[in-house]
Amino acid sequence: MAVQINPSILSADFSRLAEEAKAVEGADWLHVDVMDNHFVPNLTLGVPVVESLAKATDTPLDCHLMIEDPDRWAPQYIEAGAGSVTFHVEAAAAPVRLAREIRAKGARASMALRPATPIEPYEDLLPELDMLLIMTVEPGFGGQAFLDIMLPKIRRTRELISKHGLQLWLQVDGGVSASTIEQCAEAGADVFVAGSAVYGADDPAEAVRKLRDQAAAVTASAAWACGH
Ligand SMILES: O=C(CO)[C@H](O)[C@H](O)COP(=O)(O)O
Ligand SMILES: [Fe+2]
């Protein structure tokens, strides 16, 4: 699979969401951070905004649910138009059932790990997923510094994906920029969320293209990507 860049609208101007979504058309997915002020100490947007965004852009929506009780809420985001739904394993009561339900409703099922959550206990769940998200900041806010202590976890996860011959995508989110994307790609990530690095740029669409070129150049010669 080619590398993918998913701009995060968390760093966009929320009073102009439709325009901001259009400004990154050409990106692979639009990353939508849903926060409930319980799972994380911040509040963003919910189902009605996702429904409006889905109508305002042709870019598919990658909804990152940083909420309690995703088992209850995830299906509503699919009905609102999300093409991919990520729940946090720390918040899910029944992650296998939830992943199966997301897939059954026609969306891509994705599971996220906070920085302190290891991948190893979840090895057997990987075939149930279309994407795994490794957070490279503590979830809750855009514009934080990239946690390079997450690089070994990205590497170990890529090894597990290869060991089981899986096709799932490996996404990183938090502090991804021109200075950090190459390390993530080298470690094995192939889907990159970028908020401030895209919406903080003068030309967001150009920022997406540059990040994609940078990641693709690394992936082309990365050991993990041979035959990818
Ligand atoms: O999930 C998130 C924060 O919890 C955001 O997707 C992430 O922080 C993107 O912003 P930036 O690229 O500026 O770090
Ligand atoms: Fe996110």
Side-chain angles (χ1 to χ4, degrees):
M1 186 197 67
V3 298
Q4 302 186 47
I5 306 294
N6 301 4
S8 167
I9 53 140
L10 183 61
S11 301
D13 177 348
F14 272 33
S15 72
R16 299 187 299 111
L17 277 184
E19 277 169 68
E20 296 280 68
K22 285 197 193 313
V24 293
E25 269 172 8
D28 299 281
W29 295 77
L30 189 63
H31 184 84
V32 182
D33 289 304
V34 177
M35 304 186 189
D36 67 352
N37 208 24
H38 291 277
F39 182 70
V40 289
N42 198 3
L43 186 65
T44 54
L45 51 84
V47 172
V49 176
V50 169
E51 202 170 355
S52 297
L53 257 179
K55 289 180 192 142
T57 178
D58 292 333
T59 310
L61 303 184
D62 158 34
C63 280
H64 176 193
L65 304 184
M66 285 163 276
I67 60 173
E68 289 183 356
D69 206 1
D71 308 67
R72 174 181 172 198
W73 293 107
Q76 294 197 31
Y77 286 90
I78 301 167
E79 280 151 32
S84 172
V85 175
T86 300
F87 60 86
H88 269 264
V89 70
E90 304 88 353
V96 173
R97 187 173 65 207
L98 181 53
R100 289 185 179 183
E101 189 179 356
I102 293 170
R103 280 179 161 177
K105 285 192 174 298
R108 294 180 62 87
S110 165
M111 189 173 88
L113 309 179
R114 297 183 81 131
T117 304
I119 180 61
E120 284 74 13
Y122 304 108
E123 179 175 350
D124 293 341
L125 267 67
L126 296 179
E128 302 289 336
L129 303 170
D130 296 302
M131 184 166 80
L132 189 96
L133 164 53
I134 294 182
M135 290 302 300
T136 43
V137 296
E138 287 291 353
F141 301 94
Q144 301 181 75
F146 177 77
L147 292 173
D148 58 7
I149 55 168
M150 291 296 104
L151 289 166
K153 182 156 81 176
I154 300 168
R155 253 182 222 111
R156 291 197 305 273
T157 306
R158 174 52 66 189
E159 283 165 14
L160 291 176
I161 293 170
S162 303
K163 176 177 139 190
H164 292 283
L166 299 170
Q167 297 298 317
L168 82 151
W169 300 347
L170 181 51
Q171 185 180 59
V172 285
D173 182 10
V176 175
S177 68
S179 351
T180 57
I181 196 167
E182 291 174 355
Q183 302 166 66
C184 296
E186 190 276 326
D190 54 6
V191 182
F192 306 87
V193 175
S196 40
V198 168
Y199 282 106
D202 291 338
D203 182 344
E206 174 67 7
V208 169
R209 285 191 291 273
K210 281 190 177 158
L211 287 170
R212 193 188 280 125
D213 288 349
Q214 262 187 292
V218 173
T219 302
S221 58
W224 67 264
C226 285
H228 191 56

